[in-house]
Amino acid sequence: MTSSSTDTTEKLHSFLSGLPEFASTPRIQSLYSDLGRQKLSNPSGYTANLGWWRSVLQELVSRRMQSNNANALVLHVNQELSDALRWDKVGRPAGLSTVVDDMTRDGDLHPLGLFLLSSVSIYESGSVVGRVADILIKRSFWWAMEHLNLVNPDGNESAAAKWKRVCGDYVVISVVKTLADSIIAAQDEKSSLTISETIYSLDSFKKYAESCSPTQSIRLSELDVKILLRYLSRDRHVLVVQGEVIKFAEDPALRRITSIDQGVFELKSTIERVEQQIEHIETSIKSRTNQIKAALLASRKEIAKLQLSSRKALEALLNQRVQTLTTLTAALSSIDQAHSDAAILKAYETSSKVLKEILSKPELQRERVDEVMDKLREGMEGAEEIRIAVEEGGWEVVEAA
């Protein structure tokens, strides 16, 4: 076991020991028992135990407590997981295969291959059947059956056979959803009129997704990014992916990559590359400065002169790159402004059409308006005459008294 694996296992044991259930030996024995038998003999106890394991496995993934913690959104069900969950006096969890099987049936876990390949949303009614059919037409029958893990055709399946069947990689939907919700909320706060804030590359999306994490410490792998993009595009319908271009767009009419989107993507990618070049040049200049100081301290003036010449060349290059970055940034800002102006103008145009349509109604024609106003004026004049008559009659009664 590597040092990293040992640290992860210790972290997991520290987490488990802090749970209230681990203070009670009978409770731990129940949780680590064969849940398949418990499911038949004690349904209510089984339900409680399943809920506990569901929570623990989700936390295990979200807190990166797996021995192979390269992925932040995937549960690796294997012997290493069983060994890591081993606890003194009770051993390994005998019901882990049952937990994984039921969580898969309930939609808490999705087989990784099935999740990435299916074009059917996990939230659509009957989506399990749809995803199965979708996979069957993409892969051979036996490959699909191997990755579904949804139905056990043999009710007398042995514990070993069941464990072998459920072993594999699973997408943990609750963890994916939590991160996706944070990304969508952050994106909603941005101006919809700024096109550059809706376009991302794979690398910039990865950094953006990591910055949106509630924990602010998540590190996504390439596989995590694929899972997240698949979920956001297919299941949440908030973005579209085409090649390396990622675009946020909840409006179905905008959910396609246009030539404008492609141009903005290329411009943003160029800006990112220039920023990286500037960072590299600045690092090199600092290195040259340190080398110059070291050479002068060692009385090696010729070396110092060479490093000084090199630094001046780097400073000139840095100035060029900064000017280039300024120009590119200004161009991107102009595109955003033009896009915003176009959107505002379109809103003006829509407003004028709506206003014209309202004003074209018969009841708002000039003759009709004049007629209504005349009648209103006559009615008010009549009401005033009545009010005056009532007041004069009242005074006559008072004087007569």
Side-chain angles (χ1 to χ4, degrees):
M1 183 179 291
T2 64
S3 174
S4 177
S5 298
T6 301
D7 292 343
T8 304
T9 301
E10 290 178 354
K11 182 180 177 182
L12 173 59
H13 281 205
S14 176
F15 166 73
L16 292 175
S17 62
L19 298 176
E21 289 80 3
F22 278 77
S24 169
T25 300
R27 183 75 178 103
I28 291 301
Q29 289 174 339
S30 175
L31 289 167
Y32 273 65
S33 64
D34 185 350
L35 299 184
R37 296 179 179 177
Q38 193 179 88
K39 188 175 183 179
L40 299 175
S41 62
N42 183 9
S44 59
Y46 169 77
T47 301
N49 287 343
L50 177 63
W52 185 88
W53 274 111
R54 178 184 288 110
S55 175
V56 166
L57 292 179
Q58 290 171 347
E59 285 294 315
L60 184 146
V61 173
S62 64
R63 297 184 183 216
R64 305 293 284 270
M65 294 185 293
Q66 299 183 82
S67 57
N68 177 11
N69 62 356
N71 302 310
L73 306 177
V74 179
L75 174 67
H76 304 286
V77 180
N78 49 34
Q79 191 59 45
E80 289 184 351
L81 174 64
S82 180
D83 292 341
L85 290 169
R86 188 181 186 284
W87 201 257
D88 291 342
K89 298 181 180 179
V90 291
R92 299 178 183 85
L96 186 57
S97 59
T98 299
V99 172
V100 173
D101 203 25
D102 275 27
M103 287 182 69
T104 304
R105 293 170 187 269
D106 294 342
D108 299 312
L109 299 177
H110 281 255
L112 177 61
L114 180 63
F115 183 90
L116 291 176
L117 284 171
S118 177
S119 60
V120 181
S121 172
I122 64 174
Y123 296 125
E124 286 186 18
S125 177
S127 60
V128 171
V129 175
R131 290 197 306 278
V132 170
D134 191 53
I135 291 298
L136 288 176
I137 64 176
K138 287 183 172 70
R139 292 288 189 272
S140 69
F141 175 80
W142 292 112
W143 184 95
M145 293 304 294
E146 180 184 352
H147 287 77
L148 294 183
N149 293 342
L150 295 175
V151 178
N152 171 24
D154 184 2
N156 298 318
E157 185 180 28
S158 67
K162 188 174 187 179
W163 174 248
K164 182 179 179 180
R165 178 171 60 84
V166 301
C167 278
D169 298 331
Y170 296 82
V171 177
V172 185
I173 299 303
S174 63
V175 181
V176 177
K177 182 179 182 301
T178 298
L179 180 55
D181 287 344
S182 299
I183 293 172
I184 293 172
Q187 194 65 28
D188 286 344
E189 293 179 359
K190 297 184 177 182
S191 172
S192 60
L193 300 179
T194 307
I195 188 174
S196 66
E197 292 191 335
T198 65
I199 306 295
Y200 293 86
S201 64
L202 290 172
D203 186 56
S204 62
F205 173 80
K206 175 179 178 295
K207 293 177 181 177
Y208 178 56
E210 289 173 344
S211 69
C212 293
S213 170
T215 63
Q216 293 293 314
S217 61
I218 192 171
R219 289 295 176 266
L220 299 175
S221 66
E222 183 178 342
L223 177 59
D224 292 326
V225 172
K226 287 182 180 179
I227 291 170
L228 195 54
L229 288 174
R230 194 67 171 145
Y231 179 78
L232 288 169
S233 60
R234 180 193 62 201
D235 304 314
R236 300 296 290 272
H237 308 294
V238 296
L239 59 73
V240 60
V241 182
Q242 182 175 307
E244 295 185 350
V245 185
I246 300 166
K247 174 185 176 182
F248 278 90
E250 294 191 33
D251 185 349
L254 301 176
R255 210 171 294 143
R256 61 188 180 88
I257 304 298
T258 66
S259 58
I260 295 176
D261 299 329
Q262 185 68 40
V264 170
F265 167 78
E266 292 174 0
L267 181 54
K268 288 189 68 176
S269 297
T270 302
I271 289 175
E272 290 173 6
R273 288 195 297 271
V274 173
E275 288 175 337
Q276 292 172 358
Q277 290 174 9
I278 289 174
E279 184 178 347
H280 176 71
I281 294 170
E282 288 176 337
T283 301
S284 297
I285 290 174
K286 290 179 181 178
S287 176
R288 297 295 187 279
T289 300
N290 292 332
Q291 290 173 357
I292 291 170
K293 290 178 180 179
L296 290 174
L297 288 172
S299 298
R300 303 178 67 182
K301 294 183 179 181
E302 292 302 321
I303 299 296
K305 287 180 180 180
L306 288 174
Q307 296 298 339
L308 180 60
S309 177
S310 176
R311 189 180 70 177
K312 287 182 178 179
L314 287 170
E315 288 172 343
L317 180 59
L318 177 62
N319 185 54
Q320 292 176 3
R321 290 293 180 267
V322 170
Q323 290 179 355
T324 299
L325 181 60
T326 300
T327 302
L328 292 173
T329 304
L332 185 61
S333 178
S334 297
I335 291 173
D336 279 334
Q337 183 63 49
H339 181 267
S340 176
D341 291 342
I344 293 172
L345 186 61
K346 184 177 180 180
Y348 286 162
E349 183 179 12
T350 301
S351 299
S352 65
K353 288 180 179 179
V354 172
L355 184 59
K356 185 176 181 180
E357 183 178 350
I358 293 174
L359 293 176
S360 66
K361 293 183 177 181
E363 58 268 27
L364 291 179
Q365 297 304 304
R366 183 55 186 269
E367 294 79 6
R368 175 62 175 167
V369 172
D370 290 342
E371 179 183 350
V372 171
M373 295 307 295
D374 288 342
K375 290 182 179 180
L376 178 60
R377 194 178 300 109
E378 291 174 1
M380 292 180 67
E381 290 174 353
E384 181 65 15
E385 291 176 358
I386 293 174
R387 184 186 65 79
I388 294 173
V390 171
E391 287 183 356
E392 290 177 349
W395 282 112
E396 290 177 357
V397 171
V398 171
E399 289 176 354

